[in-house]
Amino acid sequence: MFDFLDSDWFNIGIQIVFIILISYDVKKYFETRKREYIFNIVFTIGFAIWALYPYYNSYVGWQEEQKTLMLSHCKDTNDTKLCRCMDDATFKNYTYDEYIVLNKNSEDYKEFLSDAKEDCEDDSWF
């Protein structure tokens, strides 16, 4: 039901909303010099960090050499688009340390792979 929360476009949209809110408060602060706008700016930045940190922690927590070592889920196929999508799903959902200790035979991981493959093969543009 809430699959859109994991999409890149949702995260980009949230970032744009935070930028708009912060820029509006900065503009209003310079116009009125009221302290309430500084309060709003601080809380908006704090909420943005709280909301977006898990996304950045998992997605940019992988170094390039770690990514090349872990690639790819489908070495035996020629579908590079599917392979790239599956790898991106892994990079988004797991940090490198989590992925190393992950039991690759567990039901949760197998369910993740099947869901990721289904999402990657979906032709919708959302």
Side-chain angles (χ1 to χ4, degrees), residues 4-37:
F4 67 92
L5 293 174
D6 292 330
S7 73
D8 290 336
W9 288 109
F10 176 74
N11 288 310
I12 292 168
I14 291 289
Q15 292 170 9
I16 291 169
V17 168
F18 285 133
I19 289 170
I20 290 170
L21 291 173
I22 291 169
S23 62
Y24 174 78
D25 284 335
V26 167
K27 176 183 171 251
K28 284 298 203 177
Y29 172 73
F30 283 121
E31 289 175 356
T32 63
R33 297 289 181 190
K34 289 185 179 178
R35 295 172 63 82
E36 67 187 49
Y37 292 110

PDB file of all heavy atoms in Angstrom, residues 4-37:
ATOM      1  N   PHE A   4       5.160   3.545  -2.502  1.00  0.00           N
ATOM      2  CA  PHE A   4       5.707   4.796  -3.037  1.00  0.00           C
ATOM      3  C   PHE A   4       6.731   5.421  -2.087  1.00  0.00           C
ATOM      4  O   PHE A   4       7.565   6.210  -2.513  1.00  0.00           O
ATOM      5  CB  PHE A   4       4.595   5.801  -3.327  1.00  0.00           C
ATOM      6  CG  PHE A   4       3.898   6.310  -2.083  1.00  0.00           C
ATOM      7  CD1 PHE A   4       4.340   7.460  -1.456  1.00  0.00           C
ATOM      8  CD2 PHE A   4       2.805   5.641  -1.566  1.00  0.00           C
ATOM      9  CE1 PHE A   4       3.708   7.935  -0.322  1.00  0.00           C
ATOM     10  CE2 PHE A   4       2.164   6.108  -0.435  1.00  0.00           C
ATOM     11  CZ  PHE A   4       2.616   7.248   0.186  1.00  0.00           C
ATOM     12  N   LEU A   5       6.696   5.051  -0.807  1.00  0.00           N
ATOM     13  CA  LEU A   5       7.639   5.611   0.150  1.00  0.00           C
ATOM     14  C   LEU A   5       9.080   5.210  -0.154  1.00  0.00           C
ATOM     15  O   LEU A   5      10.019   5.893   0.237  1.00  0.00           O
ATOM     16  CB  LEU A   5       7.283   5.176   1.574  1.00  0.00           C
ATOM     17  CG  LEU A   5       5.972   5.745   2.129  1.00  0.00           C
ATOM     18  CD1 LEU A   5       5.668   5.112   3.475  1.00  0.00           C
ATOM     19  CD2 LEU A   5       6.039   7.248   2.249  1.00  0.00           C
ATOM     20  N   ASP A   6       9.273   4.095  -0.856  1.00  0.00           N
ATOM     21  CA  ASP A   6      10.619   3.624  -1.183  1.00  0.00           C
ATOM     22  C   ASP A   6      11.129   4.160  -2.507  1.00  0.00           C
ATOM     23  O   ASP A   6      12.274   3.921  -2.868  1.00  0.00           O
ATOM     24  CB  ASP A   6      10.645   2.094  -1.232  1.00  0.00           C
ATOM     25  CG  ASP A   6      10.434   1.479   0.132  1.00  0.00           C
ATOM     26  OD1 ASP A   6      10.818   2.127   1.118  1.00  0.00           O
ATOM     27  OD2 ASP A   6       9.903   0.366   0.205  1.00  0.00           O
ATOM     28  N   SER A   7      10.310   4.878  -3.239  1.00  0.00           N
ATOM     29  CA  SER A   7      10.727   5.312  -4.562  1.00  0.00           C
ATOM     30  C   SER A   7      11.651   6.525  -4.485  1.00  0.00           C
ATOM     31  O   SER A   7      11.599   7.324  -3.551  1.00  0.00           O
ATOM     32  CB  SER A   7       9.509   5.657  -5.423  1.00  0.00           C
ATOM     33  OG  SER A   7       8.930   6.873  -4.995  1.00  0.00           O
ATOM     34  N   ASP A   8      12.511   6.630  -5.480  1.00  0.00           N
ATOM     35  CA  ASP A   8      13.423   7.775  -5.543  1.00  0.00           C
ATOM     36  C   ASP A   8      12.656   9.073  -5.737  1.00  0.00           C
ATOM     37  O   ASP A   8      13.033  10.108  -5.189  1.00  0.00           O
ATOM     38  CB  ASP A   8      14.416   7.596  -6.690  1.00  0.00           C
ATOM     39  CG  ASP A   8      15.413   6.493  -6.407  1.00  0.00           C
ATOM     40  OD1 ASP A   8      15.641   6.184  -5.223  1.00  0.00           O
ATOM     41  OD2 ASP A   8      15.965   5.948  -7.373  1.00  0.00           O
ATOM     42  N   TRP A   9      11.582   9.038  -6.509  1.00  0.00           N
ATOM     43  CA  TRP A   9      10.815  10.259  -6.781  1.00  0.00           C
ATOM     44  C   TRP A   9      10.147  10.793  -5.526  1.00  0.00           C
ATOM     45  O   TRP A   9      10.008  12.000  -5.353  1.00  0.00           O
ATOM     46  CB  TRP A   9       9.797  10.032  -7.882  1.00  0.00           C
ATOM     47  CG  TRP A   9      10.472   9.902  -9.189  1.00  0.00           C
ATOM     48  CD1 TRP A   9      10.623   8.779  -9.949  1.00  0.00           C
ATOM     49  CD2 TRP A   9      11.172  10.945  -9.899  1.00  0.00           C
ATOM     50  NE1 TRP A   9      11.351   9.052 -11.065  1.00  0.00           N
ATOM     51  CE2 TRP A   9      11.694  10.370 -11.073  1.00  0.00           C
ATOM     52  CE3 TRP A   9      11.392  12.294  -9.650  1.00  0.00           C
ATOM     53  CZ2 TRP A   9      12.427  11.108 -11.994  1.00  0.00           C
ATOM     54  CZ3 TRP A   9      12.120  13.021 -10.567  1.00  0.00           C
ATOM     55  CH2 TRP A   9      12.620  12.430 -11.715  1.00  0.00           C
ATOM     56  N   PHE A  10       9.736   9.907  -4.640  1.00  0.00           N
ATOM     57  CA  PHE A  10       9.160  10.361  -3.377  1.00  0.00           C
ATOM     58  C   PHE A  10      10.210  11.095  -2.561  1.00  0.00           C
ATOM     59  O   PHE A  10       9.955  12.170  -2.012  1.00  0.00           O
ATOM     60  CB  PHE A  10       8.592   9.179  -2.585  1.00  0.00           C
ATOM     61  CG  PHE A  10       8.067   9.579  -1.238  1.00  0.00           C
ATOM     62  CD1 PHE A  10       6.869  10.266  -1.124  1.00  0.00           C
ATOM     63  CD2 PHE A  10       8.769   9.282  -0.085  1.00  0.00           C
ATOM     64  CE1 PHE A  10       6.383  10.656   0.106  1.00  0.00           C
ATOM     65  CE2 PHE A  10       8.295   9.663   1.155  1.00  0.00           C
ATOM     66  CZ  PHE A  10       7.096  10.347   1.251  1.00  0.00           C
ATOM     67  N   ASN A  11      11.414  10.530  -2.486  1.00  0.00           N
ATOM     68  CA  ASN A  11      12.497  11.178  -1.732  1.00  0.00           C
ATOM     69  C   ASN A  11      12.908  12.498  -2.359  1.00  0.00           C
ATOM     70  O   ASN A  11      13.174  13.467  -1.655  1.00  0.00           O
ATOM     71  CB  ASN A  11      13.701  10.243  -1.626  1.00  0.00           C
ATOM     72  CG  ASN A  11      13.428   9.104  -0.677  1.00  0.00           C
ATOM     73  OD1 ASN A  11      12.979   9.321   0.439  1.00  0.00           O
ATOM     74  ND2 ASN A  11      13.663   7.893  -1.123  1.00  0.00           N
ATOM     75  N   ILE A  12      12.953  12.553  -3.669  1.00  0.00           N
ATOM     76  CA  ILE A  12      13.271  13.813  -4.346  1.00  0.00           C
ATOM     77  C   ILE A  12      12.181  14.843  -4.079  1.00  0.00           C
ATOM     78  O   ILE A  12      12.468  16.022  -3.825  1.00  0.00           O
ATOM     79  CB  ILE A  12      13.471  13.574  -5.854  1.00  0.00           C
ATOM     80  CG1 ILE A  12      14.739  12.754  -6.084  1.00  0.00           C
ATOM     81  CG2 ILE A  12      13.529  14.893  -6.622  1.00  0.00           C
ATOM     82  CD1 ILE A  12      14.892  12.222  -7.496  1.00  0.00           C
ATOM     83  N   GLY A  13      10.934  14.411  -4.104  1.00  0.00           N
ATOM     84  CA  GLY A  13       9.818  15.313  -3.812  1.00  0.00           C
ATOM     85  C   GLY A  13       9.881  15.855  -2.395  1.00  0.00           C
ATOM     86  O   GLY A  13       9.644  17.048  -2.160  1.00  0.00           O
ATOM     87  N   ILE A  14      10.214  14.988  -1.440  1.00  0.00           N
ATOM     88  CA  ILE A  14      10.360  15.431  -0.050  1.00  0.00           C
ATOM     89  C   ILE A  14      11.483  16.458   0.075  1.00  0.00           C
ATOM     90  O   ILE A  14      11.350  17.463   0.775  1.00  0.00           O
ATOM     91  CB  ILE A  14      10.637  14.220   0.870  1.00  0.00           C
ATOM     92  CG1 ILE A  14       9.403  13.339   0.977  1.00  0.00           C
ATOM     93  CG2 ILE A  14      11.094  14.634   2.248  1.00  0.00           C
ATOM     94  CD1 ILE A  14       8.271  13.951   1.773  1.00  0.00           C
ATOM     95  N   GLN A  15      12.584  16.235  -0.624  1.00  0.00           N
ATOM     96  CA  GLN A  15      13.697  17.189  -0.580  1.00  0.00           C
ATOM     97  C   GLN A  15      13.275  18.534  -1.145  1.00  0.00           C
ATOM     98  O   GLN A  15      13.628  19.586  -0.595  1.00  0.00           O
ATOM     99  CB  GLN A  15      14.888  16.646  -1.359  1.00  0.00           C
ATOM    100  CG  GLN A  15      15.520  15.440  -0.710  1.00  0.00           C
ATOM    101  CD  GLN A  15      16.544  14.773  -1.601  1.00  0.00           C
ATOM    102  OE1 GLN A  15      16.903  15.292  -2.649  1.00  0.00           O
ATOM    103  NE2 GLN A  15      17.015  13.617  -1.179  1.00  0.00           N
ATOM    104  N   ILE A  16      12.524  18.531  -2.221  1.00  0.00           N
ATOM    105  CA  ILE A  16      12.048  19.778  -2.819  1.00  0.00           C
ATOM    106  C   ILE A  16      11.124  20.513  -1.856  1.00  0.00           C
ATOM    107  O   ILE A  16      11.214  21.739  -1.691  1.00  0.00           O
ATOM    108  CB  ILE A  16      11.365  19.501  -4.171  1.00  0.00           C
ATOM    109  CG1 ILE A  16      12.412  19.056  -5.190  1.00  0.00           C
ATOM    110  CG2 ILE A  16      10.601  20.721  -4.670  1.00  0.00           C
ATOM    111  CD1 ILE A  16      11.829  18.515  -6.477  1.00  0.00           C
ATOM    112  N   VAL A  17      10.233  19.778  -1.182  1.00  0.00           N
ATOM    113  CA  VAL A  17       9.333  20.400  -0.205  1.00  0.00           C
ATOM    114  C   VAL A  17      10.135  21.040   0.924  1.00  0.00           C
ATOM    115  O   VAL A  17       9.850  22.173   1.330  1.00  0.00           O
ATOM    116  CB  VAL A  17       8.318  19.367   0.339  1.00  0.00           C
ATOM    117  CG1 VAL A  17       7.581  19.896   1.552  1.00  0.00           C
ATOM    118  CG2 VAL A  17       7.335  18.964  -0.745  1.00  0.00           C
ATOM    119  N   PHE A  18      11.139  20.328   1.424  1.00  0.00           N
ATOM    120  CA  PHE A  18      11.963  20.900   2.495  1.00  0.00           C
ATOM    121  C   PHE A  18      12.691  22.154   2.025  1.00  0.00           C
ATOM    122  O   PHE A  18      12.780  23.141   2.756  1.00  0.00           O
ATOM    123  CB  PHE A  18      12.970  19.882   3.024  1.00  0.00           C
ATOM    124  CG  PHE A  18      12.359  18.827   3.906  1.00  0.00           C
ATOM    125  CD1 PHE A  18      12.656  17.493   3.711  1.00  0.00           C
ATOM    126  CD2 PHE A  18      11.498  19.161   4.933  1.00  0.00           C
ATOM    127  CE1 PHE A  18      12.101  16.519   4.521  1.00  0.00           C
ATOM    128  CE2 PHE A  18      10.935  18.195   5.752  1.00  0.00           C
ATOM    129  CZ  PHE A  18      11.241  16.872   5.535  1.00  0.00           C
ATOM    130  N   ILE A  19      13.215  22.146   0.829  1.00  0.00           N
ATOM    131  CA  ILE A  19      13.909  23.327   0.299  1.00  0.00           C
ATOM    132  C   ILE A  19      12.949  24.508   0.174  1.00  0.00           C
ATOM    133  O   ILE A  19      13.293  25.643   0.506  1.00  0.00           O
ATOM    134  CB  ILE A  19      14.584  22.991  -1.044  1.00  0.00           C
ATOM    135  CG1 ILE A  19      15.781  22.066  -0.801  1.00  0.00           C
ATOM    136  CG2 ILE A  19      15.037  24.257  -1.762  1.00  0.00           C
ATOM    137  CD1 ILE A  19      16.377  21.491  -2.057  1.00  0.00           C
ATOM    138  N   ILE A  20      11.740  24.243  -0.296  1.00  0.00           N
ATOM    139  CA  ILE A  20      10.741  25.314  -0.427  1.00  0.00           C
ATOM    140  C   ILE A  20      10.383  25.875   0.947  1.00  0.00           C
ATOM    141  O   ILE A  20      10.318  27.101   1.131  1.00  0.00           O
ATOM    142  CB  ILE A  20       9.492  24.799  -1.168  1.00  0.00           C
ATOM    143  CG1 ILE A  20       9.824  24.547  -2.636  1.00  0.00           C
ATOM    144  CG2 ILE A  20       8.330  25.774  -1.030  1.00  0.00           C
ATOM    145  CD1 ILE A  20       8.734  23.820  -3.404  1.00  0.00           C
ATOM    146  N   LEU A  21      10.156  24.985   1.922  1.00  0.00           N
ATOM    147  CA  LEU A  21       9.803  25.454   3.266  1.00  0.00           C
ATOM    148  C   LEU A  21      10.930  26.275   3.897  1.00  0.00           C
ATOM    149  O   LEU A  21      10.684  27.326   4.502  1.00  0.00           O
ATOM    150  CB  LEU A  21       9.465  24.262   4.168  1.00  0.00           C
ATOM    151  CG  LEU A  21       8.175  23.517   3.838  1.00  0.00           C
ATOM    152  CD1 LEU A  21       8.052  22.267   4.693  1.00  0.00           C
ATOM    153  CD2 LEU A  21       6.972  24.419   4.025  1.00  0.00           C
ATOM    154  N   ILE A  22      12.144  25.807   3.751  1.00  0.00           N
ATOM    155  CA  ILE A  22      13.282  26.534   4.339  1.00  0.00           C
ATOM    156  C   ILE A  22      13.481  27.871   3.640  1.00  0.00           C
ATOM    157  O   ILE A  22      13.690  28.898   4.287  1.00  0.00           O
ATOM    158  CB  ILE A  22      14.551  25.665   4.280  1.00  0.00           C
ATOM    159  CG1 ILE A  22      14.415  24.487   5.244  1.00  0.00           C
ATOM    160  CG2 ILE A  22      15.790  26.487   4.621  1.00  0.00           C
ATOM    161  CD1 ILE A  22      15.483  23.438   5.088  1.00  0.00           C
ATOM    162  N   SER A  23      13.399  27.892   2.305  1.00  0.00           N
ATOM    163  CA  SER A  23      13.602  29.153   1.591  1.00  0.00           C
ATOM    164  C   SER A  23      12.493  30.159   1.910  1.00  0.00           C
ATOM    165  O   SER A  23      12.755  31.356   2.022  1.00  0.00           O
ATOM    166  CB  SER A  23      13.716  28.916   0.090  1.00  0.00           C
ATOM    167  OG  SER A  23      12.534  28.350  -0.406  1.00  0.00           O
ATOM    168  N   TYR A  24      11.255  29.679   2.081  1.00  0.00           N
ATOM    169  CA  TYR A  24      10.165  30.573   2.456  1.00  0.00           C
ATOM    170  C   TYR A  24      10.430  31.193   3.832  1.00  0.00           C
ATOM    171  O   TYR A  24      10.261  32.408   4.022  1.00  0.00           O
ATOM    172  CB  TYR A  24       8.839  29.809   2.464  1.00  0.00           C
ATOM    173  CG  TYR A  24       7.679  30.632   2.975  1.00  0.00           C
ATOM    174  CD1 TYR A  24       7.073  31.581   2.156  1.00  0.00           C
ATOM    175  CD2 TYR A  24       7.202  30.474   4.273  1.00  0.00           C
ATOM    176  CE1 TYR A  24       6.015  32.350   2.633  1.00  0.00           C
ATOM    177  CE2 TYR A  24       6.155  31.228   4.751  1.00  0.00           C
ATOM    178  CZ  TYR A  24       5.564  32.158   3.926  1.00  0.00           C
ATOM    179  OH  TYR A  24       4.531  32.917   4.391  1.00  0.00           O
ATOM    180  N   ASP A  25      10.852  30.350   4.790  1.00  0.00           N
ATOM    181  CA  ASP A  25      11.121  30.867   6.128  1.00  0.00           C
ATOM    182  C   ASP A  25      12.315  31.817   6.141  1.00  0.00           C
ATOM    183  O   ASP A  25      12.318  32.801   6.880  1.00  0.00           O
ATOM    184  CB  ASP A  25      11.342  29.715   7.116  1.00  0.00           C
ATOM    185  CG  ASP A  25      10.033  29.047   7.505  1.00  0.00           C
ATOM    186  OD1 ASP A  25       8.985  29.710   7.414  1.00  0.00           O
ATOM    187  OD2 ASP A  25      10.070  27.860   7.886  1.00  0.00           O
ATOM    188  N   VAL A  26      13.328  31.545   5.352  1.00  0.00           N
ATOM    189  CA  VAL A  26      14.481  32.446   5.265  1.00  0.00           C
ATOM    190  C   VAL A  26      14.044  33.792   4.694  1.00  0.00           C
ATOM    191  O   VAL A  26      14.408  34.860   5.209  1.00  0.00           O
ATOM    192  CB  VAL A  26      15.616  31.819   4.423  1.00  0.00           C
ATOM    193  CG1 VAL A  26      16.665  32.843   4.058  1.00  0.00           C
ATOM    194  CG2 VAL A  26      16.241  30.644   5.165  1.00  0.00           C
ATOM    195  N   LYS A  27      13.233  33.742   3.652  1.00  0.00           N
ATOM    196  CA  LYS A  27      12.724  34.977   3.038  1.00  0.00           C
ATOM    197  C   LYS A  27      11.900  35.773   4.054  1.00  0.00           C
ATOM    198  O   LYS A  27      12.076  36.986   4.209  1.00  0.00           O
ATOM    199  CB  LYS A  27      11.879  34.629   1.824  1.00  0.00           C
ATOM    200  CG  LYS A  27      11.230  35.821   1.157  1.00  0.00           C
ATOM    201  CD  LYS A  27      10.350  35.365   0.002  1.00  0.00           C
ATOM    202  CE  LYS A  27       9.550  36.511  -0.522  1.00  0.00           C
ATOM    203  NZ  LYS A  27       8.143  36.428  -0.217  1.00  0.00           N
ATOM    204  N   LYS A  28      10.990  35.095   4.766  1.00  0.00           N
ATOM    205  CA  LYS A  28      10.151  35.779   5.746  1.00  0.00           C
ATOM    206  C   LYS A  28      10.975  36.323   6.914  1.00  0.00           C
ATOM    207  O   LYS A  28      10.668  37.386   7.450  1.00  0.00           O
ATOM    208  CB  LYS A  28       9.072  34.827   6.291  1.00  0.00           C
ATOM    209  CG  LYS A  28       7.951  34.605   5.324  1.00  0.00           C
ATOM    210  CD  LYS A  28       7.260  35.914   5.058  1.00  0.00           C
ATOM    211  CE  LYS A  28       5.860  35.703   4.591  1.00  0.00           C
ATOM    212  NZ  LYS A  28       5.142  36.932   4.386  1.00  0.00           N
ATOM    213  N   TYR A  29      12.027  35.593   7.292  1.00  0.00           N
ATOM    214  CA  TYR A  29      12.872  36.080   8.383  1.00  0.00           C
ATOM    215  C   TYR A  29      13.565  37.375   7.980  1.00  0.00           C
ATOM    216  O   TYR A  29      13.610  38.328   8.772  1.00  0.00           O
ATOM    217  CB  TYR A  29      13.912  35.030   8.779  1.00  0.00           C
ATOM    218  CG  TYR A  29      14.912  35.573   9.762  1.00  0.00           C
ATOM    219  CD1 TYR A  29      14.561  35.798  11.079  1.00  0.00           C
ATOM    220  CD2 TYR A  29      16.196  35.904   9.364  1.00  0.00           C
ATOM    221  CE1 TYR A  29      15.466  36.332  11.986  1.00  0.00           C
ATOM    222  CE2 TYR A  29      17.111  36.436  10.254  1.00  0.00           C
ATOM    223  CZ  TYR A  29      16.734  36.649  11.569  1.00  0.00           C
ATOM    224  OH  TYR A  29      17.631  37.192  12.454  1.00  0.00           O
ATOM    225  N   PHE A  30      14.097  37.434   6.776  1.00  0.00           N
ATOM    226  CA  PHE A  30      14.789  38.657   6.359  1.00  0.00           C
ATOM    227  C   PHE A  30      13.818  39.821   6.165  1.00  0.00           C
ATOM    228  O   PHE A  30      14.213  40.974   6.291  1.00  0.00           O
ATOM    229  CB  PHE A  30      15.601  38.418   5.084  1.00  0.00           C
ATOM    230  CG  PHE A  30      16.883  37.680   5.355  1.00  0.00           C
ATOM    231  CD1 PHE A  30      17.132  36.471   4.739  1.00  0.00           C
ATOM    232  CD2 PHE A  30      17.837  38.185   6.224  1.00  0.00           C
ATOM    233  CE1 PHE A  30      18.310  35.782   4.988  1.00  0.00           C
ATOM    234  CE2 PHE A  30      19.011  37.511   6.480  1.00  0.00           C
ATOM    235  CZ  PHE A  30      19.250  36.301   5.860  1.00  0.00           C
ATOM    236  N   GLU A  31      12.564  39.507   5.881  1.00  0.00           N
ATOM    237  CA  GLU A  31      11.580  40.584   5.754  1.00  0.00           C
ATOM    238  C   GLU A  31      11.127  41.112   7.111  1.00  0.00           C
ATOM    239  O   GLU A  31      10.920  42.314   7.272  1.00  0.00           O
ATOM    240  CB  GLU A  31      10.359  40.094   4.977  1.00  0.00           C
ATOM    241  CG  GLU A  31      10.603  39.870   3.506  1.00  0.00           C
ATOM    242  CD  GLU A  31       9.394  39.255   2.804  1.00  0.00           C
ATOM    243  OE1 GLU A  31       8.383  38.937   3.477  1.00  0.00           O
ATOM    244  OE2 GLU A  31       9.476  39.082   1.581  1.00  0.00           O
ATOM    245  N   THR A  32      10.942  40.226   8.089  1.00  0.00           N
ATOM    246  CA  THR A  32      10.339  40.634   9.361  1.00  0.00           C
ATOM    247  C   THR A  32      11.283  40.597  10.549  1.00  0.00           C
ATOM    248  O   THR A  32      10.995  41.225  11.571  1.00  0.00           O
ATOM    249  CB  THR A  32       9.146  39.715   9.695  1.00  0.00           C
ATOM    250  OG1 THR A  32       9.628  38.386   9.859  1.00  0.00           O
ATOM    251  CG2 THR A  32       8.097  39.770   8.616  1.00  0.00           C
ATOM    252  N   ARG A  33      12.367  39.846  10.462  1.00  0.00           N
ATOM    253  CA  ARG A  33      13.328  39.661  11.551  1.00  0.00           C
ATOM    254  C   ARG A  33      12.684  39.070  12.807  1.00  0.00           C
ATOM    255  O   ARG A  33      13.118  39.321  13.936  1.00  0.00           O
ATOM    256  CB  ARG A  33      14.021  40.970  11.919  1.00  0.00           C
ATOM    257  CG  ARG A  33      14.857  41.571  10.831  1.00  0.00           C
ATOM    258  CD  ARG A  33      16.072  40.751  10.616  1.00  0.00           C
ATOM    259  NE  ARG A  33      16.889  41.382   9.568  1.00  0.00           N
ATOM    260  CZ  ARG A  33      17.913  40.820   9.026  1.00  0.00           C
ATOM    261  NH1 ARG A  33      18.283  39.632   9.401  1.00  0.00           N
ATOM    262  NH2 ARG A  33      18.591  41.427   8.090  1.00  0.00           N
ATOM    263  N   LYS A  34      11.650  38.259  12.625  1.00  0.00           N
ATOM    264  CA  LYS A  34      11.004  37.591  13.757  1.00  0.00           C
ATOM    265  C   LYS A  34      11.734  36.292  14.059  1.00  0.00           C
ATOM    266  O   LYS A  34      12.119  35.549  13.163  1.00  0.00           O
ATOM    267  CB  LYS A  34       9.535  37.292  13.450  1.00  0.00           C
ATOM    268  CG  LYS A  34       8.662  38.514  13.403  1.00  0.00           C
ATOM    269  CD  LYS A  34       7.218  38.114  13.208  1.00  0.00           C
ATOM    270  CE  LYS A  34       6.320  39.325  13.191  1.00  0.00           C
ATOM    271  NZ  LYS A  34       4.917  38.950  12.958  1.00  0.00           N
ATOM    272  N   ARG A  35      11.878  36.004  15.348  1.00  0.00           N
ATOM    273  CA  ARG A  35      12.607  34.818  15.772  1.00  0.00           C
ATOM    274  C   ARG A  35      11.852  33.527  15.461  1.00  0.00           C
ATOM    275  O   ARG A  35      12.462  32.461  15.390  1.00  0.00           O
ATOM    276  CB  ARG A  35      12.895  34.895  17.262  1.00  0.00           C
ATOM    277  CG  ARG A  35      13.825  36.047  17.612  1.00  0.00           C
ATOM    278  CD  ARG A  35      13.964  36.253  19.100  1.00  0.00           C
ATOM    279  NE  ARG A  35      14.550  35.170  19.848  1.00  0.00           N
ATOM    280  CZ  ARG A  35      15.858  34.951  19.960  1.00  0.00           C
ATOM    281  NH1 ARG A  35      16.695  35.744  19.332  1.00  0.00           N
ATOM    282  NH2 ARG A  35      16.319  33.963  20.687  1.00  0.00           N
ATOM    283  N   GLU A  36      10.563  33.606  15.271  1.00  0.00           N
ATOM    284  CA  GLU A  36       9.785  32.397  14.994  1.00  0.00           C
ATOM    285  C   GLU A  36      10.210  31.745  13.669  1.00  0.00           C
ATOM    286  O   GLU A  36      10.107  30.533  13.522  1.00  0.00           O
ATOM    287  CB  GLU A  36       8.297  32.689  14.979  1.00  0.00           C
ATOM    288  CG  GLU A  36       7.853  33.567  13.826  1.00  0.00           C
ATOM    289  CD  GLU A  36       6.404  33.978  13.930  1.00  0.00           C
ATOM    290  OE1 GLU A  36       6.007  34.439  15.017  1.00  0.00           O
ATOM    291  OE2 GLU A  36       5.694  33.834  12.933  1.00  0.00           O
ATOM    292  N   TYR A  37      10.706  32.524  12.742  1.00  0.00           N
ATOM    293  CA  TYR A  37      11.141  31.954  11.467  1.00  0.00           C
ATOM    294  C   TYR A  37      12.455  31.188  11.628  1.00  0.00           C
ATOM    295  O   TYR A  37      12.673  30.176  10.954  1.00  0.00           O
ATOM    296  CB  TYR A  37      11.245  33.029  10.394  1.00  0.00           C
ATOM    297  CG  TYR A  37       9.883  33.573  10.021  1.00  0.00           C
ATOM    298  CD1 TYR A  37       9.505  34.863  10.360  1.00  0.00           C
ATOM    299  CD2 TYR A  37       8.961  32.774   9.354  1.00  0.00           C
ATOM    300  CE1 TYR A  37       8.252  35.349  10.035  1.00  0.00           C
ATOM    301  CE2 TYR A  37       7.705  33.245   9.029  1.00  0.00           C
ATOM    302  CZ  TYR A  37       7.356  34.532   9.374  1.00  0.00           C
ATOM    303  OH  TYR A  37       6.113  35.006   9.054  1.00  0.00           O
TER     304      TYR A  37
END
